[in-house]
């Protein structure tokens, strides 16, 4: 499914505000562009769920982005590092922190907005059985030239200390098998129904 993005946020032009959360499949989206659109949308009162955060792309080659993250890791409180800043390693938390930086998170409306967003690695239940959307304004294939270098957030997280890359991969493979089986079954039923309509 494709969401048409306007300057006001993620709302499709024909939908307006809805009580159900918008579920976004983050695979192949650029980190900053997706974060800015999600930030705008949750500030307007819409709930958003972002899945497959480990598949988010960042422009610039992997080595350059890893150097940036290692520099970020050096920023700590000199006398008591346990007081922050906190360096999240999980892709979902990195995305969450990126969105937080685009919100007035110390004010009440910012805190409320942040509570409207959920982020996940992989696609956990019940979102695996719900319609997921993409945001064309943030897709890598539409926003940067094909020859430009990019890296994947999951790999970056893995190299700076995220321990669950293998676990998520296993769960995703299992989900894809179930999804394929469901799709095949659905296709067969649809074909039989169409055939029955013709026979009548």
């Amino acid at each position: 499914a494709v969401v048409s993005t306007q300057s006001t946020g993620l709302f499709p032009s024909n939908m307006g505000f809805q009580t159900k959360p918008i579920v976004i499949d983050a695979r192949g989206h650029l980190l900053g562009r997706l974060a800015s659109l999600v930030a705008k949308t949750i500030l307007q009162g819409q709930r958003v769920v972002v899945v497959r955060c480990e598949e988010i792309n960042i422009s610039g080659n992997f080595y350059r982005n890893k150097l940036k993250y290692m520099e970020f890791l050096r920023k700590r409180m000199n006398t008591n590092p346990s007081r922050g800043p906190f360096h999240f390693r999980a892709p979902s938390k990195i995305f969450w922190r990126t969105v937080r930086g685009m919100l007035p998170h110390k004010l009440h409306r910012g805190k409320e907005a942040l509570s409207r967003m959920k982020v996940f690695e992989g696609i956990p239940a019940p979102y695996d059985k719900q319609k997921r959307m993409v945001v064309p304004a943030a897709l890598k294939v539409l926003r940067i030239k094909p020859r430009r270098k990019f890296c994947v957030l999951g790999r970056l997280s893995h190299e700076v200390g995220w321990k669950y890359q293998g676990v998520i991969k296993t769960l995703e493979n299992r989900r894809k098998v179930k999804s394929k089986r469901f799709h095949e079954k659905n296709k067969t039923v649809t074909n039989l129904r169409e055939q029955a309509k013709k026979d009548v």
Side-chain angles (χ1 to χ4, degrees):
V2 175
V3 180
S4 61
T5 51
Q6 300 165 328
S7 58
T8 49
L10 278 177
F11 299 113
S13 49
N14 62 344
M15 186 178 71
F17 182 81
Q18 62 174 24
T19 50
K20 281 184 178 179
I22 296 174
V23 183
I24 299 169
D25 186 350
R27 180 178 176 269
H29 289 71
L30 289 167
L31 178 69
R33 286 179 181 273
L34 183 63
S36 63
L37 287 163
V38 168
K40 187 70 177 171
T41 306
I42 56 178
L43 271 174
Q44 289 169 336
Q46 176 67 54
R47 288 190 297 148
V48 174
V49 176
V50 184
V51 294
R52 284 216 279 190
C53 286
E54 75 283 0
E55 298 280 352
I56 288 175
N57 295 151
I58 307 172
S59 58
N61 68 12
F62 174 75
Y63 184 69
R64 176 187 168 88
N65 281 303
K66 189 175 176 183
L67 285 180
K68 277 186 193 173
Y69 199 89
M70 299 314 274
E71 197 176 337
F72 168 58
L73 287 180
R74 284 201 294 275
K75 291 173 170 58
R76 60 181 208 155
M77 186 176 178
N78 206 12
T79 50
N80 189 356
S82 66
R83 287 187 177 178
F86 304 109
H87 312 101
F88 297 121
R89 264 61 166 206
S92 60
K93 294 299 280 183
I94 290 173
F95 180 75
W96 179 88
R97 198 178 198 273
T98 308
V99 173
R100 189 189 71 174
M102 299 176 181
L103 297 171
H105 68 97
K106 293 186 181 183
L107 304 181
H108 182 68
R109 65 190 276 263
K111 285 183 179 127
E112 287 287 302
L114 211 50
S115 70
R116 288 187 208 109
M117 180 181 70
K118 287 182 180 179
V119 285
F120 299 100
E121 287 94 17
I123 307 179
Y127 307 110
D128 56 342
K129 292 187 170 64
Q130 289 178 16
K131 192 167 188 174
R132 297 178 289 280
M133 300 191 170
V134 298
V135 186
L139 280 173
K140 178 190 79 75
V141 290
L142 299 177
R143 301 310 302 182
I144 62 175
K145 291 175 180 173
R147 65 177 181 274
R148 299 295 185 201
K149 289 181 177 163
F150 70 96
C151 75
V152 180
L153 186 57
R155 185 188 167 197
L156 182 67
S157 291
H158 175 68
E159 298 223 2
V160 294
W162 181 51
K163 298 185 179 74
Y164 299 101
Q165 192 181 38
V167 175
I168 294 296
K169 196 174 180 182
T170 307
L171 290 170
E172 276 294 280
N173 289 340
R174 201 178 297 167
R175 180 191 64 79
K176 283 171 188 171
V177 169
K178 280 170 72 178
S179 179
K180 190 180 178 185
R181 202 179 298 145
F182 172 77
H183 177 66
E184 293 296 331
K185 188 181 169 186
N186 234 15
K187 205 160 70 171
T188 310
V189 171
T190 309
N191 289 343
L192 286 170
R193 190 178 290 123
E194 290 300 316
Q195 191 60 46
K197 280 180 186 173
K198 282 176 189 173
D199 293 345
V200 170

